[in-house]
Amino acid sequence: MNARERRRSGGARPPSFRERSGSARPAPNASAKRRGGPGESASAGDISGKERSPTRREVKAQTQEVLATGVQTLQVDPDEAGMRVDRFLVARFPQLAFTHIQRIVRKGELRVDGKRAKPQERLETGQKIRIPPLRLEPQKVAARSAARDQDERGFLKSIALYEDKDVLILNKPAGLAVQGGPGTKRHVDGLLEALRDEDGQKPRLVHRLDKDTAGCLIVAKTRFAAVALGKTFRSRAARKIYWAVVAGVPRVRQGRVSTYLAKEEIGDKDARMRVAEHGDEGASHALTYYAVVETAAQKLAWLSLKPVTGRTHQLRAHAAHIGHPIVGDPKYFNVENWELPGGLQNKLHLLARRIVIPHPRTGRPIDVTAPLPPHMEQSFNLLGFDAARYDPIVEAPEA
């Protein structure tokens, strides 16, 4: 199913799953965009609060300073508010290696309003960023054929569940990685290269899904949307529902799983997560609500899950923690002497089923639902599960 969902809703408050949400038709952007470059300095506002253009004398002085020292001062635009300082530099200087950006921040060479910047510091509109001399290399762009771009645009369009000028929500297939890595050549982030606009801006990933998890994946098409949606996820205003098929049937039909999770191997991005104690190195609190929707005897259960936090492998680790790992999970399935029922494929049975987010411009809810991936649809048919059945997880708390 690749129909784009557009519904209407009146409220601008953070949406709950019970609301009938609607089309988030973007309103015209009232904020004027400015771009900083070498030698550009923030102009002061006049007494009325309106920005004035720098005088010829000021421009000349700024240009001479940049030529003499290589130092430049940039001002944070409204659509850059909330960005981390290192991501600000990535956006402004795409030719600059991220390792070099990290190095100049770590050494204290970058200043925000005259103070040393911290890597995780988030910027505010109007702040002045002093940039040290940079050695910018010409950006190397891999040769891309028009035919390849057309094919990849066509593929992205075929899996789009929702799209407007700011937001794109994809139905990510199981098995397609979100980002690249060793041995991973085809991934969503790479496919988004085909959607670069006339200014060279590429749509940005807002969150992640595991490679083998199917379903709703949000992409920001503009920098404004990326910043706004990033804040939405950090504030936990995004409402998410996942579906899973698990081994066995939980004794408690509706429950709450609250643990601390930490990576087994610190520094390994793909490490297995373990249940940890508060205070353990790298441990973060993780909270999940779940509900049993249907069962197949006592062999299998269809769970609906609502993650409040968004830790790595959270749902997979929590399902295993309560003794009911997700079918087809190569990392966390730990039931001894358990055999996969005939007809079911040994693939991860986890779907990012539904997501509700406030639109970055209007605040109106965007409510999108992903269909079952082929292997889960096959399992549902064999087990007699009805995807149209009422989902009790909508009654679970939001926090």
Side-chain angles (χ1 to χ4, degrees):
M1 182 180 80
N2 56 13
R4 298 175 186 173
E5 301 192 0
R6 298 174 180 266
R7 303 178 187 138
R8 294 201 173 274
S9 173
R13 62 190 184 282
S16 72
F17 281 115
R18 301 184 195 181
E19 292 181 293
R20 298 292 296 175
S21 53
S23 170
R25 188 171 298 169
N29 183 11
S31 62
K33 295 182 179 180
R34 297 183 301 105
R35 294 290 178 268
E40 178 180 327
S41 178
S43 61
D46 62 22
I47 194 167
S48 66
K50 296 180 180 179
E51 290 185 357
R52 66 172 178 83
S53 300
T55 64
R56 292 181 63 185
R57 179 177 294 180
E58 288 172 338
V59 171
K60 183 177 180 180
Q62 292 164 3
T63 303
Q64 288 177 338
E65 180 184 357
V66 173
L67 291 174
T69 67
V71 174
Q72 52 189 305
T73 301
L74 307 180
Q75 181 168 309
V76 179
D77 287 344
D79 63 351
E80 295 168 322
M83 274 183 138
R84 275 179 20 184
V85 66
D86 51 358
R87 298 299 175 186
F88 171 85
L89 289 180
V90 169
R92 289 294 188 102
F93 302 100
Q95 313 98 311
L96 204 59
F98 190 60
T99 52
H100 182 54
I101 290 173
Q102 290 176 312
R103 184 164 58 252
I104 63 175
V105 175
R106 187 172 61 250
K107 288 183 175 181
E109 298 176 7
L110 195 75
R111 302 278 171 159
V112 177
D113 287 343
K115 300 178 182 178
R116 289 183 60 161
K118 299 178 181 178
Q120 304 296 324
E121 183 174 347
R122 294 193 180 274
L123 301 174
E124 298 177 4
T125 301
Q127 285 186 316
K128 296 179 181 179
I129 316 298
R130 180 185 181 277
I131 312 292
L134 301 174
R135 294 190 300 274
L136 300 178
E137 299 293 335
Q139 191 171 10
K140 296 180 181 178
V141 179
R144 296 179 62 87
S145 69
R148 175 185 171 186
D149 281 350
Q150 184 175 358
D151 287 346
E152 293 181 352
R153 282 194 296 269
F155 171 72
L156 292 171
K157 183 177 180 179
S158 74
I159 63 171
L161 297 169
Y162 174 92
E163 184 176 16
D164 61 31
K165 73 175 186 179
D166 286 301
V167 181
L168 172 64
I169 303 181
L170 302 174
N171 177 25
K172 188 192 82 66
L176 176 63
V178 171
Q179 290 183 301
T184 302
K185 294 184 178 180
R186 190 170 188 265
H187 47 85
V188 175
D189 194 40
L191 294 172
L192 293 176
E193 290 286 349
L195 300 183
R196 282 190 182 273
D197 62 20
E198 296 176 352
D199 296 327
Q201 292 294 315
K202 186 183 85 171
R204 299 165 174 82
L205 296 165
V206 175
H207 64 127
R208 310 287 185 268
L209 292 178
D210 294 338
K211 178 180 178 180
D212 294 323
T213 301
C216 299
L217 180 69
I218 300 178
V219 175
K221 295 175 65 178
T222 61
R223 187 163 62 184
F224 172 85
V227 172
L229 291 171
K231 291 178 180 177
T232 295
F233 275 82
R234 288 195 301 275
S235 65
R236 300 179 185 172
R239 309 303 184 208
K240 297 169 282 185
I241 286 180
Y242 288 72
W243 282 1
V245 177
V246 302
V249 178
R251 181 178 57 83
V252 178
R253 305 284 291 197
Q254 295 189 36
R256 174 179 181 272
V257 185
S258 177
T259 70
Y260 284 84
L261 294 176
K263 290 181 178 180
E264 288 188 342
E265 298 292 335
I266 302 297
D268 183 355
K269 291 183 179 179
D270 198 38
R272 188 178 185 275
M273 303 299 288
R274 62 178 177 84
V275 174
E277 298 293 333
H278 179 51
D280 286 356
E281 182 182 2
S284 299
H285 181 245
L287 176 61
T288 303
Y289 290 95
Y290 74 87
V292 177
V293 185
E294 283 196 78
T295 65
Q298 292 298 307
K299 184 77 173 179
L300 295 163
W302 162 17
L303 296 190
S304 187
L305 304 130
K306 183 188 288 187
V308 176
T309 52
R311 310 304 178 200
T312 302
H313 299 173
Q314 176 175 319
L315 300 181
R316 297 164 64 184
H318 274 176
H321 178 64
I322 63 173
H324 301 283
I326 298 173
V327 171
D329 192 335
K331 282 185 180 290
Y332 296 92
F333 199 93
N334 54 5
V335 181
E336 294 183 3
N337 302 319
W338 193 88
E339 292 184 4
L340 187 71
L344 271 64
Q345 298 183 51
N346 192 25
K347 295 182 178 180
L348 184 68
H349 281 55
L350 181 61
L351 167 69
R353 171 66 173 177
R354 183 180 176 192
I355 192 159
V356 183
I357 55 169
H359 192 278
R361 291 189 189 273
T362 67
R364 295 175 181 169
I366 303 174
D367 186 345
V368 174
T369 299
L372 291 167
H375 69 284
M376 286 185 68
E377 184 176 19
Q378 178 184 351
S379 298
F380 269 50
N381 290 335
L382 288 169
L383 299 170
F385 294 162
D386 181 4
R389 186 182 178 96
Y390 172 72
D391 188 348
I393 200 66
V394 296
E395 305 295 336
E398 303 293 352

